[in-house]
């Protein structure tokens, strides 16, 4: 057995040659590769947050990744699993932070085969708690009539408020995806304004609205789909120009 300290070399395959004192040799062709270290630069993970208890998957983008021996470290701790996607992409199941939210965790990519590293890049990932929905408010269809419920025909704007809401979340009502949402950031809270889909066949009173962050954490609440109100009549078709009278609708 020989232990050898490898000299520097260019990114290429090289023969390994063993030479005895009597000049006899043994050659293993193209047996060793000089390869560059993995690289990772700031801002190349998605999403940029994860479940503080662990188990969320993030995607890491960089270069010089190999099919085996790759490891992603979050805050210095190895991911539960690191999966090779291609030479520029790895998926990592984060280790978590014992359920405690934190901000600015570092990212490092290491090739365990030759121990080359991308270096530690600080301030990349936040560990967050699960989102919570505090309220869902249906915006009025007009200034003259306010319906607190959701129009079963769809197309009504609702605002979702709560904590740990993120811009890349998804929202479903019943079995229908809500595709058009606008996020407004604010401290740890934020809000989502969404255009509702039409009610499905089984949707009505107590339909489940599900809010899910990109890290897989979610919260649910109940909303009511109702048909638009209909006006069948009113007690007077006239009144004073000054207003102030009362009619029964």
């Amino acid at each position: 057995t020989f232990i050898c300290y490898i000299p520097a070399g260019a990114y290429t395959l090289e023969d390994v040659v063993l030479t005895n004192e009597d000049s006899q040799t043994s050659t293993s062709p193209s047996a060793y590769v000089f390869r560059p270290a993995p690289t990772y630069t700031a801002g190349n993970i998605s999403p940029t947050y994860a479940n503080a208890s662990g188990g969320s998957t993030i995607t890491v983008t960089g270069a010089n990744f190999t099919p085996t021996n790759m490891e992603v470290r979050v805050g210095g701790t190895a991911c539960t699993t690191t999966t090779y996607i291609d030479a520029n992409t790895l998926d990592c199941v984060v280790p978590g932070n014992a359920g405690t939210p934190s901000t600015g965790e570092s990212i490092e990519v290491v090739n365990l085969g030759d121990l080359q590293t991308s270096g530690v890049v600080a301030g990349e990932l936040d560990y967050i708690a699960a989102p919570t929905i505090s309220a869902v408010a249906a915006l009025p269809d007009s200034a003259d009539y306010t319906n607190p419920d959701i129009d079963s025909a769809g197309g009504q704007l609702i605002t979702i408020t709560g904590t740990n809401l993120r811009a890349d979340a998804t929202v479903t009502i019943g079995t229908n995806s809500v595709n058009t949402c606008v996020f407004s950031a604010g401290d740890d809270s934020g809000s989502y304004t969404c255009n509702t889909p039409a009610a499905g066949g089984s949707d009505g009173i107590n339909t489940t609205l599900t809010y899910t962050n990109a890290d897989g954490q979610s919260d649910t609440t109940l909303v009511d789909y109702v048909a638009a109100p209909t006006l069948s009549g009113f007690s007077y078709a006239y009144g004073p120009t000054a207003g102030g009278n009362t009619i029964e609708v």
Side-chain angles (χ1 to χ4, degrees), residues 185-205:
D187 300 324
D188 185 39
S189 301
S191 65
Y192 251 58
T193 300
C194 300
N195 196 319
T196 59
S202 61
D203 295 336
I205 303 301

Side-chain angles (χ1 to χ4, degrees), residues 42-229:
N44 283 296
I45 60 169
S46 179
T48 57
Y49 58 92
N51 188 333
S53 296
S56 301
T57 298
I58 62 172
T59 298
V60 178
T61 304
N64 304 325
F65 301 156
T66 60
T68 58
N69 298 320
M70 300 308 300
E71 179 178 271
V72 176
R73 297 173 182 173
V74 180
T77 302
C79 287
T80 305
T81 60
T82 297
T83 302
Y84 174 86
I85 305 302
D86 57 42
N88 301 306
T89 312
L90 301 170
D91 279 351
C92 152
V93 178
V94 300
N97 192 39
T100 303
S102 62
T103 59
E105 299 287 349
S106 63
I107 295 291
E108 180 185 13
V109 181
V110 180
N111 190 317
L112 297 179
D114 55 17
L115 299 182
Q116 293 191 94
T117 173
S118 65
V120 176
V121 180
E124 289 294 277
L125 181 131
D126 295 341
Y127 279 124
I128 68 171
T132 59
I133 300 171
S134 57
V136 176
L139 303 182
D141 293 325
S142 73
D144 301 317
Y145 177 78
T146 301
N147 187 344
D149 302 311
I150 300 175
D151 188 341
S152 60
Q156 184 174 16
L157 293 178
I158 60 171
T159 297
I160 303 168
T161 54
T163 60
N164 295 319
L165 308 185
R166 298 294 174 120
D168 51 1
T170 59
V171 177
T172 60
I173 301 178
T175 58
N176 297 312
S177 296
V178 179
N179 296 318
T180 306
C181 290
V182 177
F183 177 74
S184 299
D187 300 324
D188 185 39
S189 301
S191 65
Y192 251 58
T193 300
C194 300
N195 196 319
T196 59
S202 61
D203 295 336
I205 303 301
N206 290 337
T207 298
T208 300
L209 182 150
T210 303
Y211 171 97
T212 306
N213 276 333
D215 64 359
Q217 297 186 95
S218 64
D219 193 21
T220 61
T221 190
L222 297 177
V223 296
D224 293 340
Y225 268 119
V226 297

